[in-house]
Amino acid sequence: MERGWRNYRVISGHSGWVRSVAVDPTNTWFCTGSADRTIKIWDLASGRLKLTLTGHVGQIRGLGVRNKNMFSAGEDKQVKCWDLEQNKVIHSFHGHLHGVYCLALHPTIDVLYTGSRDCVCRVWDIRTKTHIHVFSGHENTVSSVLTLPAHPQVVVTGSHDSTIKLWDIRYGKTMETLTHHKKTIRAMAHHPKGHCSSFASASTDGNIKKFNLPNGQLLHNMLPQQMNIINAMAVNDEGVMATGGDNGSLWFWDWTSGHNFQQARTKVQPGSSMDTDAAIYALTYDVTGTILITCEGDKTIKMWKQR
């Protein structure tokens, strides 16, 4: 019998849906982005608010942290780089024509990826602040993007057009288009161990599939189906994958076998009444993989750990 995960802390502070999250690589703090147009930085150990940053004029849909910089992407078409010593924006990356829905940092070099409702994934050089590539080919919003340390030349994008595309960063070209999903793809995740070549994707019909890189071979489906719109997913070092649904369902899976071993549900905080308030919009593990952070429609952040 696997040990279950339980909610041990509820953090309030945002005044809108919490849409994005990232953990500082030193594992001392984490940041969240919200529909209230703010980014908040929280102490990981205590859950206390350290800082609130303003600058976006739309929901913040993507966050990433590297060294002393934080990157944010919003529905206001903006991609911003923040200096966390000065707590201010030091650069804005301009180019997207519509809201930016996702963001990822290359595992080894100073490159940033952003996906947007304008159907493209843009590739940016962080140091020179220049534009490297525009990955165009999707027919709808690019809602998720990831790269794996084991295949640093490959970028994976998931789209509302129900396809996944594998891109070669060296040439800016599509390597493969994966058409296994039949519905919108909102979330993808990979195993954090550096040698791992596989990633998973989830669609709005609750289907979760696992693929191998560099060729995009389908490995297997995760069973049973969550039977809900899956907004977010993450995997820890131990191979525990968490998936968060639009109805507040939080399922835990064994990465290797694809077996679902726990089905939890978030509790909507008092004062929330609408069904959308239960939604889990984003989630991530801390660096150790022992704490899971979920970002929710009831405007709270919840922290989970194993019993």
Side-chain angles (χ1 to χ4, degrees), residues 146-302:
L146 60 79
T147 58
L148 278 72
H151 295 280
Q153 80 282 7
V154 182
V155 184
V156 185
T157 55
S159 171
H160 290 188
D161 67 10
S162 81
T163 71
I164 295 165
K165 288 183 182 287
L166 311 183
W167 309 83
D168 190 319
I169 186 179
R170 296 167 298 185
Y171 310 112
K173 291 188 165 56
T174 314
M175 298 160 55
E176 301 284 346
T177 299
L178 311 181
T179 57
H180 304 74
H181 284 290
K182 300 295 173 263
K183 297 281 186 180
T184 289
I185 296 158
R186 287 196 187 176
M188 299 191 299
H190 67 87
H191 196 295
K193 287 232 167 96
H195 62 269
C196 189
S197 290
S198 51
F199 71 93
S201 56
S203 59
T204 53
D205 58 5
N207 259 306
I208 303 171
K209 298 178 184 293
K210 199 163 90 183
F211 298 93
N212 213 22
L213 287 181
N215 301 320
Q217 170 198 3
L218 176 66
L219 297 174
H220 58 81
N221 292 309
M222 301 284 194
L223 294 171
Q225 269 181 256
Q226 196 160 340
M227 300 304 289
N228 190 241
I229 294 168
I230 297 170
N231 289 321
M233 58 202 305
V235 191
N236 71 5
D237 267 355
E238 300 293 307
V240 176
M241 182 171 74
T243 54
D246 226 32
N247 61 355
S249 58
L250 180 62
W251 285 25
F252 294 89
W253 312 76
D254 176 71
W255 177 258
T256 306
S257 68
H259 164 66
N260 167 246
F261 66 84
Q262 185 186 349
Q263 299 179 9
R265 189 175 285 264
T266 190
K267 287 190 175 66
V268 175
Q269 293 306 289
S272 298
S273 57
M274 296 190 304
D275 288 344
T276 52
D277 291 346
I280 296 170
Y281 287 119
L283 54 79
T284 190
Y285 285 100
D286 76 333
V287 175
T288 68
T290 58
I291 295 170
L292 179 70
I293 303 164
T294 58
C295 300
E296 311 202 357
D298 65 0
K299 307 173 189 173
T300 69
I301 299 142
K302 297 189 177 83

